[in-house]
Amino acid sequence: MIYAILLAAGTGTRLRQKQIKPLVLIKQKPVFLYTVDTFLKQSKINRIFLVVNPKYTNQYKKWLTSSIYKRVIVCDGSVQTRTQSLIKAMAFLNANYSILPTDIIITHDAARINVNSRIINDNICVAKKHGYASTVLPLADSLCQLNKTISYVSRDNKFLVQTPQTFQYKYWSSHIDNPRVTDLFTYLKLTLLTKHLVMGSNMNFKITNQNDLIFE
C-alpha cells in the first residue's frame, strides 16, 4: 500500500494574508487543493491524508465534498511544527489502518503546489528500491558563511531539500528529540546517500511570501 500525507496545518504568517495559507485562494481555488488534485492523479496511491489545523477542519472539508475526493481523509495536525503534524498523522494511520513494514509513506508540504507526477513517482520508486527517498535540487548560487569575515563554501555535494520525502513504514519512529526539526530524515536519523536522492524542480517551491502568489 502507498499512503500520501499532505501537511497543511501551517498558518503562513509570512504570507500576510487574512486567511491561513492553505486556504488562500489562487484563481478561486485554495492553495491546498492544487496539491491534493496532483496527488489524486497518481492512481498507485491508495489513500491521501490531508493534515490540517483542527480549528479550520470544516473549511477544508467543504472543498472535498465531490466524489472525486473519496481517497482523501482529513485528519488533525499540529499548529506548532511540521514534525509534530507528521507524528499526529502517523498516529492516525496506526490507529485506523493495518500498515505493513514495506508500505510506502510519501510526505509532502501542501504549499508546494507545483509538484509534478514525475517527482512523485520517482520518490515512490526509489523508496521501494532503497527504503527511503528525498527530493533535492543541486545548489546553483554561490554559498557563503559569515563569521567575522565572509568565507565561501563549496557547492559540491550540497543540495536544497524539497518535498516529497518518502519512506517505508519500517523506518518510522514517533520519538522526537528536537521538535523544531523540519527535515524528515534529520528527524528519523537516516543518512541520505546518492541512491536516495530524487531530482526536484525549481517550480516545486514552497509558497512562503506574497510574491509566491503571483501566477500568470
Side-chain angles (χ1 to χ4, degrees):
M1 297 283 281
I2 301 175
Y3 303 95
I5 296 178
L6 305 183
L7 298 162
T11 56
T13 54
R14 289 174 289 181
L15 204 58
R16 298 181 182 178
Q17 299 286 311
K18 293 181 180 179
Q19 183 61 277
I20 62 171
K21 179 166 62 177
L23 294 172
V24 169
L25 297 182
I26 300 176
K27 297 182 179 180
Q28 305 307 309
K29 181 175 174 179
V31 164
F32 84 90
L33 202 57
Y34 284 91
T35 306
V36 168
D37 287 346
T38 299
F39 273 78
L40 275 174
K41 294 175 183 176
Q42 319 309 315
S43 59
K44 63 181 64 175
I45 295 177
N46 302 99
R47 292 284 186 277
I48 298 170
F49 297 90
L50 182 66
V51 188
V52 306
N53 182 331
K55 183 178 177 180
Y56 299 92
T57 298
N58 289 336
Q59 292 189 45
Y60 285 94
K61 285 184 175 180
K62 80 174 185 178
W63 291 96
L64 301 170
T65 54
S66 170
S67 61
I68 65 173
Y69 296 114
K70 62 184 179 181
R71 278 192 288 152
V72 181
I73 297 96
V74 177
C75 60
D76 290 346
S78 169
V79 298
Q80 296 178 344
T81 70
R82 180 185 187 279
T83 300
Q84 288 170 328
S85 274
L86 179 57
I87 290 172
K88 292 190 74 170
M90 290 300 296
F92 180 86
L93 263 70
N94 276 316
N96 294 280
Y97 298 86
S98 299
I99 310 178
L100 300 175
T102 56
D103 283 348
I104 299 294
I105 314 292
I106 178 167
T107 70
H108 185 65
D109 294 326
R112 294 183 185 271
I113 66 175
N114 293 317
V115 66
N116 59 50
S117 296
R118 191 272 302 167
I119 293 174
I120 295 170
N121 285 319
D122 284 356
N123 262 265
I124 292 170
C125 290
V126 171
K128 281 183 175 180
K129 185 175 182 179
H130 299 297
Y132 49 96
S134 185
T135 307
V136 300
L137 273 183
L139 288 175
D141 298 317
S142 295
L143 184 66
C144 67
Q145 180 173 317
L146 180 63
N147 292 315
K148 291 183 179 180
T149 60
I150 294 178
S151 59
Y152 285 88
V153 180
S154 170
R155 292 175 295 190
D156 295 343
N157 296 317
K158 294 180 178 64
F159 299 87
L160 297 174
V161 176
Q162 298 183 332
T163 63
Q165 292 185 302
T166 308
F167 60 96
Q168 293 183 21
Y169 177 68
K170 62 187 175 184
Y171 292 101
W172 173 250
S173 169
S174 60
H175 177 70
I176 184 167
D177 293 324
N178 181 359
R180 305 305 303 179
V181 168
T182 57
D183 175 68
L184 173 63
F185 297 117
T186 300
Y187 164 64
L188 292 180
K189 298 180 180 178
L190 294 174
T191 301
L192 287 177
L193 304 174
T194 302
K195 65 183 180 180
H196 299 119
L197 304 184
V198 170
M199 286 300 108
S201 164
N202 287 323
M203 291 301 297
N204 185 31
F205 61 87
K206 185 177 181 181
I207 293 176
T208 304
N209 301 305
Q210 290 182 351
N211 288 340
D212 297 331
L213 293 175
I214 300 175
F215 289 82
E216 296 295 335

